[in-house]
Amino acid sequence: QVPLAESGGGSVEAGGSLQLSCDVFGNSDSTKCAGWWRQAPGKVREGVAGILVGGESTWYLDSVKGRFTLSQDTQDSRRKTTVHLQMDNVKPEDAGRYTCALGRPGPGGVCGDPYTYLDVWGQGTQITVSS
């Protein structure tokens, strides 16, 4: 089974809201981090937000703190967890290709920058912001 499946994205006006979702398959036993990195044309890839699947550790890029919020819900007897990235007050600089990725937590079950989530990643979804 594919380890993850992405959904969401699209176009939004500056100041608006958008949600990305990532279905993570497998046990939600706090052994993996799920999050998003993004890349815009001409810019380097950067981690946006990450969360410990089945746990509480989260990480946010400084520029999205207070605007983006991660949440998760586990279904199917803990075999599928959907991670949501709620994006509010979206800014033009948030535009880019967002890719859901899975990685491993660090010591103490802490999830760091999703830029380092390299175990599995999806194809990504494009977000366009109009001003």
Side-chain angles (χ1 to χ4, degrees):
Q1 186 175 27
V2 177
L4 62 83
E6 302 167 288
S7 61
S11 298
V12 62
E13 291 186 357
S17 297
L18 205 62
Q19 187 176 83
L20 299 179
S21 296
C22 184
D23 290 334
V24 180
F25 298 95
N27 289 325
S28 57
D29 52 2
S30 301
T31 60
K32 61 178 79 71
C33 301
W36 282 265
W37 70 59
R38 69 186 180 192
Q39 188 163 22
K43 295 186 178 180
V44 298
R45 189 183 76 196
E46 61 181 357
V48 178
I51 190 169
L52 183 64
V53 179
E56 297 183 356
S57 174
T58 57
W59 184 96
Y60 293 93
L61 180 68
D62 283 346
S63 64
V64 308
K65 288 180 180 177
R67 301 188 296 118
F68 291 10
T69 305
L70 286 162
S71 63
Q72 58 181 321
D73 55 84
T74 300
Q75 308 149 34
D76 298 340
S77 301
R78 296 169 55 85
R79 292 294 297 174
K80 185 179 85 170
T81 298
T82 300
V83 178
H84 305 281
L85 180 65
Q86 177 65 34
M87 306 166 63
D88 297 320
N89 189 20
V90 176
K91 300 179 178 181
E93 53 263 40
D94 294 322
R97 189 164 191 84
Y98 284 66
T99 301
C100 180
L102 302 181
R104 303 179 189 184
V110 175
C111 288
D113 189 340
Y115 181 90
T116 64
Y117 299 179
L118 300 176
D119 288 351
V120 180
W121 58 90
Q123 295 185 333
T125 185
Q126 191 68 33
I127 290 181
T128 304
V129 183
S130 58
S131 55

